[in-house]
Amino acid sequence: MRLLVTGAAGFIGSNFVRLALEKDSAAEICVLDALTYAGHISTIQDLIESGRIQFVEGRIQDHTTVDRVVREHRTTHIVNFAAETHNDRSLLESGGFIASNVLGVQVLLEATKKHGLERFVHVSTDEVYGSISEGEFSESSPLEPNTPYSASKAGGDLMVRAYVKAFRSPSVVTRGGNTYGPYQFPEKLIPFFITRLIDSKKVPVYGEGNQVREWMHASDHAAGVWTALLRGTDGEVYNVGDDNERRNREVVAILLDELGRDDSFVRFIPDPRKGAHDQRYSMTTSKLRSLGWSPSVPFEAGLRETIRWYRDNESWWRPIVDRPDYQEFIRAFYGPSLGEDL
């Protein structure tokens, strides 16, 4: 297998590359990543220096770069993790989300068609379904995204569907639930809160923290994508998630306990989003499980291990949170609510 993994200097993509090398030592892997604010070469530097992977800096919406990399690498499979991924950022500026999450997917699909690749896997999100008050979303549930981010991901999903229908593109889509683990950019809830609590700063919880999410470790998410790559059926969608619903305030309680902080470090704030915040996500994953996949990392144990990783690897995240662009985003989105806490 000659595998092109896009966005693999980021969180889930880097976990996937490590898993792929473990599962198939003969796999030849090229990583294409734009190294934007959430992509860091340090995440995969050891793999590059060891010669286990090739690395090319570039954007997936760049036709010329994608075509050259696919051709020169003699790619047989593409797994696409490259994306703008944060709901809150999409509320401040949505143009980049459309460019990466819709146009970029179309460019990769065109390369898949032009070069006759064996499979294209598009990694998407459960947020394309919107919010559900009870029950579970299935792969056939309607797409009802509620933010520019989730709408852009839904657009990419539909682009895959169109290429499958129009060109019989050998493609599948995975839709992952909320994911946590090492090397996650510290703007998402868990690493954002961990790094703030390490620095004895308060953490902002929207409303009363009753939003419900199903949390999955990055290694389990990566394994689900690997299963879809090898065993999925062209044109199908596979939900990837773990069956453990947690309210945000329950997750925060574990963070406080592991880091030796108390409730005084929590500030409940109004939701900065103008519209309704998705209250609950829940998906059935029976379709992917029927292919032999199942999550293996217990949530609380995995979360406490993740907290310890951030505590022990400050050299990875400290340069990120100290960057002016990171601080600017935090001030722009949370500043009026948290004031001098930032």
Side-chain angles (χ1 to χ4, degrees):
M1 181 187 301
R2 301 187 66 85
L3 185 60
L4 173 62
V5 186
T6 67
F11 172 44
I12 307 172
S14 63
N15 278 273
F16 176 82
V17 167
R18 294 180 187 279
L19 176 75
L21 291 169
E22 176 186 325
K23 294 287 188 180
D24 183 358
S25 59
E28 298 189 39
I29 299 178
C30 179
V31 168
L32 175 66
D33 198 295
L35 297 181
T36 56
Y37 68 92
H40 301 276
I41 199 69
S42 61
T43 305
I44 53 172
Q45 189 66 50
D46 61 318
L47 300 179
I48 297 172
E49 292 178 353
S50 69
R52 301 191 72 192
I53 65 172
Q54 300 176 26
F55 175 78
V56 177
E57 184 174 350
R59 297 180 180 274
I60 60 171
Q61 57 265 43
D62 183 338
H63 287 267
T64 302
T65 297
V66 169
D67 188 75
R68 175 178 59 82
V69 171
V70 169
R71 185 180 64 254
E72 292 180 355
H73 182 59
R74 294 182 287 119
T75 301
T76 59
H77 300 71
I78 295 177
V79 180
N80 177 40
F81 290 92
E84 295 285 343
T85 64
H86 197 224
N87 273 311
D88 292 349
R89 282 185 183 266
S90 78
L91 301 180
L92 297 174
E93 193 284 312
S94 61
F97 288 77
I98 305 303
S100 179
N101 300 352
V102 182
L103 176 59
V105 174
Q106 186 270 334
V107 170
L108 295 172
L109 284 162
E110 195 64 22
T112 298
K113 176 166 69 76
K114 176 181 177 180
H115 295 280
L117 304 191
E118 296 178 30
R119 170 144 291 172
F120 171 65
V121 179
H122 174 55
V123 179
S124 188
T125 172
D126 61 350
E127 295 188 42
V128 301
Y129 296 123
S131 184
I132 188 170
S133 58
E134 58 184 24
E136 297 176 310
F137 289 120
S138 72
E139 289 84 353
S140 60
S141 296
L143 305 187
E144 297 180 339
N146 291 322
T147 66
Y149 158 64
S150 54
S152 69
K153 292 298 291 186
D157 291 10
L158 293 175
M159 191 63 69
V160 174
R161 172 183 166 83
Y163 267 71
V164 169
K165 296 295 183 180
F167 306 113
R168 296 184 178 177
S169 177
S171 306
V172 300
V173 172
T174 63
R175 292 180 180 145
N178 279 50
T179 306
Y180 70 98
Y183 294 111
Q184 187 172 24
F185 187 76
E187 67 180 358
K188 300 297 182 72
L189 187 150
I190 286 176
F192 179 45
F193 283 20
I194 291 173
T195 54
R196 287 185 65 81
L197 290 170
I198 288 174
D199 283 346
S200 299
K201 294 181 179 179
K202 288 181 170 60
V203 294
V205 176
Y206 296 163
E208 296 181 354
N210 288 323
Q211 300 87 357
V212 177
R213 303 291 184 261
E214 293 180 323
W215 293 95
M216 169 178 51
H217 194 274
S219 61
D220 285 331
H221 195 162
V225 175
W226 178 257
T227 299
L229 171 66
L230 296 186
R231 304 175 191 166
T233 299
D234 291 342
E236 294 295 325
V237 176
Y238 297 93
N239 291 337
V240 189
D242 201 348
D243 298 327
N244 73 83
E245 292 191 3
R246 304 279 178 144
R247 296 185 185 277
N248 282 351
R249 63 189 307 156
E250 296 176 60
V251 176
V252 174
I254 298 173
L255 303 182
L256 294 173
D257 179 68
E258 182 67 29
L259 289 166
R261 308 301 187 196
D262 58 30
D263 290 343
S264 68
F265 283 86
V266 178
R267 179 171 295 184
F268 293 97
I269 66 171
D271 192 335
R273 303 179 189 182
K274 302 298 182 183
H277 196 115
D278 290 346
Q279 185 63 30
R280 177 177 177 266
Y281 301 140
S282 183
M283 300 185 297
T284 176
T285 58
S286 58
K287 189 173 177 181
L288 186 61
R289 289 172 187 264
S290 71
L291 301 182
W293 170 87
S294 63
S296 62
V297 181
F299 174 68
E300 184 164 338
L303 180 56
R304 290 183 183 276
E305 180 181 338
T306 297
I307 295 167
R308 291 190 288 270
W309 185 89
Y310 279 91
R311 193 165 51 199
D312 295 340
N313 289 274
E314 185 172 336
S315 61
W316 182 82
W317 59 263
R318 176 66 63 189
I320 297 172
V321 302
D322 286 345
R323 276 181 359 206
D325 62 322
Y326 178 88
Q327 292 295 324
E328 181 181 354
F329 164 70
I330 299 302
R331 284 193 297 270
F333 204 80
Y334 297 103
S337 297
L338 292 186
E340 294 181 358
D341 263 346
L342 294 173

